[in-house]
Amino acid sequence: MAIDETDRLLDEISQLLAKDTDYPLDGTLLYARVRSTMVAPSIFKDRADEIVYRPPDLDSLCGALLDLLDAEEPDNRWAEIEYLARGETFEVTYTFADEIDPDEDTFDRRDRIVKRHFGDKPIIYPPFPPEDDGVPSYDL
């Protein structure tokens, strides 16, 4: 991948994350599992006494992450990205599929990565929507 293209796509991701005006971009972690057919992004905000989960804008963020993955050479495609914004800078860590323990639960892995960046604070998730919000539910 050309460095200019990588920079452009990472800048686009920065801009998408900055659209959440309820919290500053500083102290933001985007953790995403990405495959050519699937994207699972999670956004966390580091607060003084807690870590806040923020719902991602799937329409725009998934496209940017897929573009970033697709820009890689097929034999050099990563499986996870950690994008951490601190102050005026950000750092990106890519993890390849062979570096991921297939026996580790996906959510346990995600929580472990969040705690590695932000410490052992509680992670606050938004409440589930009430059952009468018009969203269908199904019994299995």
Side-chain angles (χ1 to χ4, degrees), residues 13 19 26 32 42 55 81 84 91-92 103-104 108 118 120-122 124 129 132-133 138-139:
I13 291 168
K19 286 184 177 182
D26 181 29
S42 298
I81 183 173
L84 179 65
E91 59 186 61
V92 177
D103 296 325
E104 184 176 23
D108 290 343
F118 296 149
D120 193 24
K121 299 183 237 182
I124 308 301
D132 62 349
D133 66 355
Y138 304 93
D139 292 324

Side-chain angles (χ1 to χ4, degrees), residues 56-130:
D57 176 356
L58 296 176
D59 290 335
S60 57
L61 191 56
C62 289
L65 288 166
L66 282 172
D67 288 347
L68 187 63
L69 180 69
D70 288 343
E72 293 287 348
E73 295 296 324
D75 59 344
N76 193 37
R77 290 199 172 155
W78 41 270
E80 292 179 347
I81 183 173
E82 297 168 44
Y83 172 106
L84 179 65
R86 294 256 192 219
E88 297 293 317
T89 64
F90 66 88
E91 59 186 61
V92 177
T93 303
Y94 300 103
T95 304
F96 294 87
D98 63 351
E99 299 172 315
I100 299 170
D101 179 355
D103 296 325
E104 184 176 23
D105 178 80
T106 301
F107 295 110
D108 290 343
R109 177 174 176 75
R110 181 188 68 183
D111 289 350
R112 182 175 53 78
I113 289 169
V114 171
K115 289 187 186 299
R116 183 183 61 200
H117 289 288
F118 296 149
D120 193 24
K121 299 183 237 182
I123 299 174
I124 308 301
Y125 293 93
F128 285 105

